[in-house]
Amino acid sequence: MDDHVVAQAIDLTKVYGDADNRVLALDHVNVEFERGQMTAIMGPSGSGKSTLMHCMAGLDQPTSGKVIVEGLEVSAMNQRQLTKLRREQIGFIFQSFNLVPTLSAEENILLPLQIAKKPIDRAWFKQVVSVVGLEHRLKHRPSQLSGGQQQRVACARAMMARPSVIFADEPTGNLDSHSSREVLGFLKQSVQQYGQSIVMVTHDPRAASYADRVLVLADGNITQDLRHPSYDRILEVFADEGNEDGDAEPNA
Ligand code: ADP
């Protein structure tokens, strides 16, 4: 695998169900995700976005084909190796934040490192916290934070272990347009300033317009591969889809 590729799907196929009720969720997908880029995956509901991301992140097992992350064949790993991969190489950001309610923001951010028994790089922690603007919220519990602040905690948590790649599943799906812009701006900054690689599933064309590249899925196939598309271009591609609202679009 070339050094500029952080993760790769080779002939990735996922079939759900049995012979009577067969769903081809991914149909021989081939794609390389580039290092230090934000790639958005778009497509109608049921097109295979979540399945692709779950297979890439080692959360779901492909039916056939290969998934490679940082040169490691994820699709050939056992549970122990997958756990290690998810702890050491992969960061996750979910639509529903997935913070531990009884822990403070700081404890949530540091939790993955503690679980993995990894040393805490305090200088990096400070930097990450400052980028997401959480300096004065570190002692707060999730219930004392707004949705946007909770997602910023989740972003900091994902970045803390310096993962090879962050998979973000509809990271702005539960946020208002202002908080969405903040979170997307932070993700973008982590790519531009720190070379973070991000793969983000989104329905929102405005969120996708922050990406360096937009892949469009339909019926388990990649049908479009757009480099730095403008917001208008993304809208054109999705002319027939319902869209959420929002503002600023950096690629416009
Ligand atoms: P998207 O994320 O684009 O909405 P998904 O990857 O969730 O699409 O789903 C792709 C297809 O696979 C859909 O037809 C969906 O119904 C089907 N599917 C997803 N997960 C399962 C499952 N656990 N069992 C059966 N079918 C599934």
Side-chain angles (χ1 to χ4, degrees):
M1 187 160 68
D2 289 353
D3 195 47
H4 74 282
V5 176
V6 70
Q8 187 178 6
I10 303 169
D11 262 339
L12 182 61
T13 297
K14 179 71 184 182
V15 180
Y16 288 109
D18 50 30
D20 298 332
N21 197 3
R22 192 172 173 273
V23 178
L24 183 57
L26 295 176
D27 183 7
H28 297 275
V29 169
N30 286 288
V31 62
E32 293 182 342
F33 294 99
E34 281 149 45
R35 193 182 301 283
Q37 287 210 344
M38 190 195 293
T39 305
I41 302 176
M42 300 193 79
S45 188
S47 58
K49 302 182 297 295
S50 308
T51 304
L52 175 58
M53 194 156 77
H54 291 163
C55 287
M56 295 305 302
L59 296 168
D60 204 348
Q61 198 64 27
T63 305
S64 64
K66 283 184 189 174
V67 170
I68 317 268
V69 172
E70 284 294 18
L72 303 168
E73 192 180 337
V74 176
S75 38
M77 288 182 180
N78 62 30
Q79 281 308 321
R80 191 183 54 79
Q81 292 168 318
L82 285 171
T83 302
K84 187 168 149 65
L85 173 93
R86 288 195 295 262
R87 279 183 186 163
E88 294 180 2
Q89 308 273 5
I90 293 176
F92 292 99
I93 300 172
F94 302 94
Q95 180 172 356
S96 52
F97 321 136
N98 286 22
L99 302 177
V100 180
T102 52
L103 297 182
S104 68
E106 175 166 346
E107 289 164 340
N108 267 286
I109 294 169
L110 299 177
L111 187 63
L113 287 179
Q114 286 177 336
I115 290 174
K117 298 194 170 62
K118 293 266 147 134
I120 291 160
D121 180 342
R122 277 281 153 190
W124 178 237
F125 172 75
K126 271 194 161 170
Q127 215 166 326
V128 167
V129 163
S130 129
V131 171
V132 297
L134 283 169
E135 295 97 328
H136 306 296
R137 298 279 186 277
L138 288 175
K139 300 298 167 211
H140 290 57
R141 300 242 169 105
S143 62
Q144 299 170 308
L145 298 171
S146 69
Q149 288 166 342
Q150 290 185 58
Q151 196 61 309
R152 286 194 265 157
V153 173
C155 289
R157 176 182 60 184
M159 276 194 77
M160 200 47 219
R162 299 176 189 264
S164 299
V165 53
I166 291 177
F167 291 104
D169 193 357
E170 297 278 2
T172 59
N174 278 333
L175 302 180
D176 59 44
S177 59
H178 173 74
S179 300
S180 294
R181 282 199 303 280
E182 282 183 344
V183 162
L184 290 162
F186 166 60
L187 293 176
K188 185 90 186 167
Q189 196 180 341
S190 76
V191 169
Q192 291 179 333
Q193 211 167 318
Y194 303 110
Q196 181 65 59
S197 310
I198 297 179
V199 177
M200 166 177 76
V201 165
T202 185
H203 277 104
D204 180 359
R206 292 197 189 269
S209 71
Y210 282 73
D212 300 296
R213 180 185 183 196
V214 178
L215 298 174
V216 180
L217 274 180
D219 298 326
N221 292 288
I222 293 176
T223 55
Q224 306 250 15
D225 186 347
L226 312 167
R227 303 282 171 160
H228 292 281
S230 66
Y231 175 60
D232 288 343
R233 177 77 187 103
I234 297 169
L235 275 188
E236 246 173 64
V237 171
F238 280 90
D240 55 348
E241 271 216 302
N243 300 316
E244 294 154 41
D245 59 7
D247 277 309
E249 55 271 1
N251 292 338

